[in-house]
Amino acid sequence: MTPIEQAVHAKAIELGKLAIKATTSAGSGHPTTALSLAHLTTVLMYRMMRWDPQHPDARGSDRLVLSEGHAVPIVYAAFADLGVTITPGGEGRSMTMTDLMALRSIDSPIDGHPNPMLGFPFFDAATGSLGQGLSVAAGLAAAAKVAGLDKTIYCIIGDGESREGQIWEAMDFIADHGLTDVVAIFNCNTLGQSDFVADAQHWQELQRKAEAFNWMAIAIDGHNPAEIEDTLRRRVELGRGKPLCVVARTIKGWGVSTLAGMGHHGTPVTQDHLEAALGDLDQEAQELGVQNADPATIDDVLTITPPPAAAAMPGRSEPSGFEAAVAAEPKVASTLADKKMMSPRRAFGLALKALGAADPSVVALDADVKNSTYALDFAEAYPDRYFEARIAEQNMISAAAGMSSGGMLPFASTFGRFLERAFDQIDMAIVGGANLKLVGTHVGVTLASDGPSQMALADVAFMRAFAHSTDHRGNPAITVLTPSDAVSAYAMVLAMAAFPSACYLRAVRADLPLLYEADAEFPFGGHKVLRNASLADRPIVLVSCGYMVHSCLKAAETLAANGIDVTVVDAYAVPMAAAPVLALAGPGGTIIAVEDSYVGGLGSELAEAAASERDTPMVQSLAVHVMPKSGRTPDDVLGYVHLAVGDIVAAVRAAATKS
């Protein structure tokens, strides 16, 4: 046995003991999976990865994404052993054994699953909702490629976890884009939580699957230090121009007899069995002949290579305004001049292209609808910064999160309806602090003929739930923006890029008349009063956004002709500064929120605000209360779901009668 092998075995046993002690101290956790990764973690963190323990988030560092996040105690053990810098509360200091033993405590940054935002900058994303890590690794590799950085991205994936379809979305994406600096490591210990993994997740099947996805797949013994290191060091040679997949056969609960076999997932060693478990690892050390390994020799052999120097990204400039962007596209300018209308999604494409010219960190992803979302503008102008995700929205969102962590500013676009299938990925990206810019087009029932399978209707309520929680920067976890014309859409896209937290833009498909001057500004949380009748004795205020603003304006004209004057508000942002909007109606007045989505949007926003104050107006909600269907025109579907102009007029008349 070579000195390196001896050192790795000895360190793996040491880290295994620490992982057991930490989970025992916590009274929860996953020591068995941690033990299965003891050798892989040791080789990666002490031998292979180019990184600096004092600066674990250094720009040029190799990265490790722990997709099976429940195995994190083994990484925490290495951190405590090395004294790696952590940043709880923003203050950097070395991690200690005391920190390790505070695993999962409410006041500890050593969380139950990886979360960089709690002061653990070694990780690039929150993981543990299984299946997402390889997509994050893909995003990190894509960001490095754009920035011209030489770094390797390692991702550890559980064999049971590999049943998640997103893993294979990521495998496709990585192969498609030639991201050969990603190394996927499958931890094949054969045991899930409640059963053995299926035959389809057997290590031989995973090897065949990886090869079918155009990866080079190498099977190794995951507890053999020499095999692990040799395979990883020969990554480029073995890959032969393809990304490398390492299929590592491991033992869940390695080295501890009482943790072997089924039934121990997520089960820490109890305090009264701790000494016996540690004794098993001592016995393992004896059998390996490393029980008396010299610590100084181990330290000499386990040397960490510092990361290569990394140049900073070039600076950014001010993007061009709406009028300049339109003028630069003669075809767009001609159409706008003729029709006096433009769709918000078309304005998104113009704005994204303008941002690309101004900021080299802006990247874009789209899910095979770039000709409909108009992300095509960016893709054609900046092909090296555009990443086609194809019909795999979950991978797209997690990859965007990885790009954000890698220093890029990602805009991810698709139909809003298809973002709904990535709600979990959006959630985890926000938990991990990703500065995501999401764009969902074709939202609302006015999509009409394509029917409900294409209409984003639940997206508002989901995103709004995050809008009323703060992220780790103190901002709304997501700011939801719904433009009512092309000018506002363009301005909001630029504002999204300047805002340091996640945003979601909802853009309808239809061309809409311009409502605003080209230089109008749309501060987050604000609103625009487009028609003011607040001098009425008992004011009625129509509050809407997007397409429905135009319906409300039409309803207001009809009502005015019949002697009823109403105020119309474009409430384009959530969270909303609701007090000024409520004040437009005042005590005794009525606010009618009009939105072509399911409940949980503007109506809820205003009703909750009114419920927390005294002397506020009545709040009513016109939303989609029936399942929509296809219709030939937007008006057909709006009538079907009782949101036509006539329905708005009827609601106002009823409110006026009551008052």
Side-chain angles (χ1 to χ4, degrees):
M1 187 185 299
T2 67
I4 292 175
E5 290 174 282
Q6 289 179 326
V8 170
H9 277 311
K11 185 60 69 175
I13 288 169
E14 181 183 349
L15 298 184
K17 286 183 175 182
L18 291 174
I20 290 173
K21 290 178 181 178
T23 50
T24 297
S25 174
S28 64
H30 300 76
T32 54
T33 310
L35 287 165
S36 72
L37 293 178
H39 290 89
L40 287 162
T41 300
T42 300
V43 172
L44 284 168
M45 294 184 67
Y46 291 79
R47 292 282 300 169
M48 285 303 307
M49 291 177 63
R50 299 166 298 171
W51 67 296
D52 180 357
Q54 302 311 307
H55 303 281
D57 56 349
R59 182 169 159 77
S61 298
D62 290 342
R63 311 306 299 166
L64 174 61
V65 180
L66 189 62
S67 190
E68 56 173 344
H70 56 276
V72 73
I74 199 71
V75 176
Y76 290 153
F79 250 59
D81 177 61
L82 292 167
V84 182
T85 297
I86 57 176
T87 56
E91 296 294 326
R93 62 173 178 81
S94 296
M95 181 168 165
T96 66
M97 292 297 171
T98 301
D99 290 319
L100 179 62
M101 296 307 146
L103 171 68
R104 297 186 169 213
S105 295
I106 193 64
D107 56 352
S108 169
I110 314 306
D111 219 38
H113 289 76
N115 188 344
M117 292 295 99
L118 296 180
F120 210 84
F122 179 78
F123 289 121
D124 294 285
T127 57
S129 184
L130 295 175
Q132 300 179 24
L134 189 57
S135 301
V136 172
L140 287 164
K145 186 175 183 179
V146 169
L149 299 177
D150 171 26
K151 60 200 305 185
T152 304
I153 317 297
Y154 300 95
C155 182
I156 298 177
I157 307 155
D159 51 357
E161 176 187 11
S162 70
R163 192 68 173 241
E164 290 282 2
Q166 186 178 344
I167 295 290
W168 305 99
E169 292 180 5
M171 296 285 275
D172 262 344
F173 182 90
I174 290 165
D176 274 356
H177 292 286
L179 301 175
T180 55
D181 288 331
V182 176
V183 178
I185 303 172
F186 284 98
N187 176 27
C188 296
N189 59 39
T190 75
L191 294 170
Q193 175 169 326
S194 64
D195 203 347
F196 289 93
V197 301
D199 290 344
Q201 279 70 58
H202 187 272
W203 70 265
Q204 290 174 316
E205 293 301 319
L206 291 178
Q207 185 175 10
R208 282 194 278 267
K209 285 181 182 178
E211 289 167 348
F213 278 75
N214 206 28
W215 287 56
M216 181 60 69
I218 307 293
I220 66 169
D221 178 351
H223 297 294
N224 184 318
E227 234 180 300
I228 298 169
E229 181 157 340
D230 179 68
T231 302
L232 296 179
R233 288 213 182 276
R234 296 171 58 216
R235 172 179 66 83
V236 176
E237 173 193 342
L238 293 171
R240 300 177 191 171
K242 298 179 180 180
L244 179 66
C245 174
V246 178
V247 181
R249 304 183 306 276
T250 63
I251 299 169
K252 196 166 186 176
W254 175 83
V256 181
S257 59
T258 56
L259 294 179
M262 183 58 63
H264 302 291
H265 183 91
T267 305
V269 175
T270 59
Q271 193 67 47
D272 55 335
H273 289 92
L274 180 60
E275 287 306 315
L278 299 178
D280 279 356
L281 285 172
D282 287 334
Q283 180 63 35
E284 187 73 34
Q286 202 164 24
E287 292 174 8
L288 290 168
V290 298
Q291 73 275 23
N292 296 317
D294 178 24
T297 302
I298 293 173
D299 290 342
D300 287 342
V301 171
L302 301 183
T303 55
I304 298 171
T305 303
M313 286 290 291
R316 62 191 66 179
S317 58
E318 192 68 26
S320 58
F322 178 75
E323 287 184 324
V326 170
E329 302 284 345
K331 197 169 180 181
V332 175
S334 175
T335 301
L336 180 60
D338 289 343
K339 296 173 63 177
K340 310 298 184 190
M341 302 172 77
M342 181 188 290
S343 69
R345 64 188 172 116
R346 188 70 196 85
F348 159 65
L350 295 174
L352 185 60
K353 183 178 177 181
L355 284 169
D359 187 348
S361 73
V362 171
V363 294
L365 308 90
D366 195 273
D368 195 34
V369 289
K370 59 183 176 291
N371 58 331
S372 290
T373 63
Y374 287 101
L376 182 63
D377 290 2
F378 185 96
E380 291 179 342
Y382 308 104
D384 292 341
R385 287 190 272 150
Y386 174 76
F387 293 87
E388 178 57 60
R390 306 191 188 279
I391 305 172
E393 294 83 2
Q394 294 175 336
N395 172 72
M396 179 177 74
I397 297 303
S398 299
M403 292 180 187
S404 172
S405 189
M408 298 295 124
L409 184 61
F411 278 78
S413 55
T414 186
F415 291 7
R417 179 68 173 85
F418 305 146
L419 283 176
E420 291 178 6
R421 71 179 59 173
F423 279 172
D424 180 28
Q425 288 73 16
I426 293 168
D427 186 341
M428 290 301 296
I430 293 168
V431 170
N435 186 13
L436 284 186
K437 310 303 174 187
L438 305 174
V439 178
T441 65
H442 297 64
V443 298
V445 296
T446 58
L447 183 59
S449 59
D450 280 335
S453 70
Q454 313 294 296
M455 298 171 178
L457 301 174
D459 59 327
V460 184
F462 175 82
M463 300 294 188
R464 180 177 167 269
F466 285 96
H468 286 277
S469 295
T470 55
D471 65 12
H472 296 88
R473 304 175 185 91
N475 297 322
I478 285 185
T479 297
V480 185
L481 301 165
T482 307
S484 58
D485 76 347
V487 170
S488 55
Y490 191 97
M492 289 175 195
V493 173
L494 300 193
M496 288 165 68
F499 191 64
S501 292
C503 300
Y504 172 47
L505 183 86
R506 306 180 73 244
V508 298
R509 176 182 182 177
D511 288 336
L512 298 174
L514 298 189
L515 294 174
Y516 299 105
E517 297 296 324
D519 59 353
E521 296 181 352
F522 298 83
F524 289 5
H527 65 276
K528 300 285 188 182
V529 178
L530 297 175
R531 183 183 182 113
N532 197 336
S534 59
L535 296 179
D537 289 338
R538 295 184 179 275
I540 298 175
V541 180
L542 295 174
V543 180
S544 192
C545 60
Y547 187 104
M548 300 309 295
V549 168
H550 298 268
S551 295
C552 288
L553 288 170
K554 291 175 183 176
E557 291 175 5
T558 299
L559 289 161
N562 289 276
I564 302 175
D565 205 5
V566 298
T567 295
V568 178
V569 173
D570 179 0
Y572 57 82
V574 171
M576 178 200 310
V581 178
L582 296 174
L584 290 170
T590 301
I591 286 180
I592 302 175
V594 184
E595 48 196 325
D596 62 343
S597 61
Y598 294 142
V599 297
L602 291 181
S604 298
E605 184 87 354
L606 290 162
E608 289 173 17
S612 66
E613 301 290 340
R614 293 183 178 180
D615 299 325
T616 54
M618 172 76 71
V619 176
Q620 300 177 18
S621 177
L622 292 184
V624 179
H625 291 282
V626 298
M627 291 294 113
K629 65 175 299 296
S630 297
R632 298 288 178 84
T633 68
D635 284 343
D636 290 341
V637 184
L638 288 171
Y640 184 84
V641 299
H642 311 300
L643 284 174
V645 170
D647 295 303
I648 301 171
V649 169
V652 171
R653 285 177 172 156
T657 301
K658 289 178 183 177
S659 62

